[in-house]
Amino acid sequence: MKLITKSIFILLALLVVFMSGCIDQKKEIILDEPGNISNYEFEVFLDDWDNNIPANTTTYYILEDKTEVQVVSIVINSSKLEIFPPDSLGGSSNEGPIKNFVLLAEPANETVASSKTFMRFSNSSNVSDLNYTLTQEISQNMKVIHLEFEAPVTGFVAYTLDTPGTQSFAFMKPDSEFIRVVLPEGFITGNRIFGIARPAPYDTSFDEDGRQTLLWISSKMGEREEAIQVKYYAESAPMYFFAAIVALLFGAGMVLSRYSRSKKELESVRNIFKLEKEYEEKGRRKNK
């Protein structure tokens, strides 16, 4: 009887542990201070396929130290926004998953989503006074931050996320029609040896600062392409790699040449010893 009771207790304990791991972990994020507008680039990205009208766009600016990424989203008539930190798949919960939050927006029913409106937002020096909530949720080992407004808004949403600090940036596909990644100046991607982007971007270009910019279009991506990964490298890396290969081949050639020369010298010495030995043998025969 005691054994059965103990077994039931252990089973219930394991069930509680298992169920606690499946329950969604949710908490509200409280930001202590407003973000700094001057830290961000509010580029008015236009939909060239729809009469140059601004479109829902998320742009990731990877900073030079590779430990942070600045995200700027163009939001049009939306009341909710899902934010996936780069470590979303790990489900870890750090104290400050999002920082330097900046909101430049107006209620959607009070503004027109035109390039003129977004140019006005981009030149603004004051953050918008709109009510919103930020909630972090960890469900099924997936981290997601929910940004919710009381009513649909149109404008810019900018924030900063921590990244692993490596030359590989991976993130879940955001709920935007256009997705852009701007690499740090002096870094590129596209070489299969050093790193490429998966899935392949729809377009690759360079901006006025010489930064490589990658573009994806959600409607042209497959349903299974839920994550995007960009492995990038220093622009000079292929040149240095090629120079190292040439130097290595030159060094190997020098070693082989020296080995061949040394072998010939040894053969010459061996032949000399052989001739001397034959000469000594002939001398012994004559003395007999």
Side-chain angles (χ1 to χ4, degrees):
M1 186 66 179
K2 289 183 178 180
L3 182 60
I4 296 176
T5 304
K6 186 177 181 180
S7 299
I8 294 175
F9 177 78
I10 294 174
L11 182 61
L12 289 174
L14 290 174
L15 185 61
V16 169
V17 172
F18 176 76
M19 290 298 295
S20 64
C22 296
I23 296 175
D24 297 349
Q25 301 177 33
K26 200 170 186 178
K27 68 175 183 179
E28 185 175 358
I29 300 173
I30 305 297
L31 301 177
D32 298 330
E33 55 185 23
N36 190 341
I37 296 177
S38 62
N39 287 348
Y40 294 105
E41 301 177 46
F42 295 100
E43 181 182 355
V44 184
F45 185 78
L46 302 176
D47 182 0
D48 291 335
W49 296 268
D50 194 12
N51 299 322
N52 288 335
I53 297 175
N56 285 295
T57 306
T58 301
T59 303
Y60 298 86
Y61 296 89
I62 304 177
L63 302 187
E64 291 184 3
D65 61 4
K66 299 181 285 294
T67 62
E68 292 181 335
V69 58
Q70 293 179 341
V71 188
V72 179
S73 295
I74 292 178
V75 179
I76 298 176
N77 193 24
S78 178
S79 61
K80 295 182 180 181
L81 187 67
E82 288 186 336
I83 300 171
F84 295 95
D87 61 347
S88 291
L89 296 175
S92 60
S93 177
N94 54 311
E95 292 299 324
I98 186 172
K99 53 190 175 183
N100 202 12
F101 182 82
V102 170
L103 177 62
L104 299 174
E106 293 176 351
N109 60 0
E110 297 179 10
T111 188
V112 178
S114 65
S115 58
K116 184 178 179 180
T117 298
F118 280 92
M119 285 299 297
R120 175 168 57 84
F121 285 141
S122 66
N123 293 320
S124 176
S125 57
N126 297 312
V127 296
S128 302
D129 185 19
L130 294 176
N131 292 327
Y132 64 87
T133 57
L134 280 170
T135 307
Q136 176 179 282
E137 180 182 13
I138 298 178
S139 176
Q140 301 297 324
N141 205 33
M142 175 74 72
K143 179 196 293 183
V144 60
I145 298 172
H146 300 280
L147 170 61
E148 298 184 30
F149 299 96
E150 292 182 348
V153 302
T154 291
F156 286 106
V157 176
Y159 49 89
T160 300
L161 302 172
D162 291 329
T163 59
T166 62
Q167 291 178 196
S168 178
F169 178 60
F171 58 97
M172 296 296 296
K173 184 174 69 175
D175 186 19
S176 298
E177 174 61 11
F178 295 94
I179 305 161
R180 304 167 69 230
V181 172
V182 180
L183 300 180
E185 187 176 353
F187 289 84
I188 58 175
T189 187
N191 187 304
R192 291 193 172 274
I193 296 177
F194 298 96
I196 60 174
R198 294 182 182 276
Y202 178 82
D203 182 66
T204 302
S205 61
F206 287 86
D207 63 10
E208 295 178 354
D209 297 323
R211 299 174 301 182
Q212 189 176 38
T213 302
L214 313 176
L215 171 68
W216 289 267
I217 302 177
S218 290
S219 59
K220 297 182 182 296
M221 297 175 66
E223 294 182 357
R224 295 184 178 181
E225 295 173 326
E226 292 296 331
I228 296 175
Q229 182 179 37
V230 180
K231 292 185 177 180
Y232 56 99
Y233 49 89
E235 195 169 0
S236 58
M239 181 183 65
Y240 284 122
F241 179 76
F242 179 73
I245 293 296
V246 171
L248 184 63
L249 292 175
F250 179 77
M254 291 291 292
V255 170
L256 290 174
S257 176
R258 187 171 181 180
Y259 171 76
S260 178
R261 188 168 58 250
S262 298
K263 186 177 180 181
K264 289 180 180 179
E265 291 176 354
L266 288 173
E267 287 290 338
S268 299
V269 172
R270 187 179 299 143
N271 290 335
I272 292 173
F273 282 136
K274 187 176 180 180
L275 290 174
E276 289 181 351
K277 189 174 181 181
E278 291 177 355
Y279 180 77
E280 290 176 357
E281 288 291 334
K282 290 180 180 179
R284 289 194 193 98
R285 291 173 188 165
K286 288 182 180 180
N287 291 332
K288 291 181 180 178

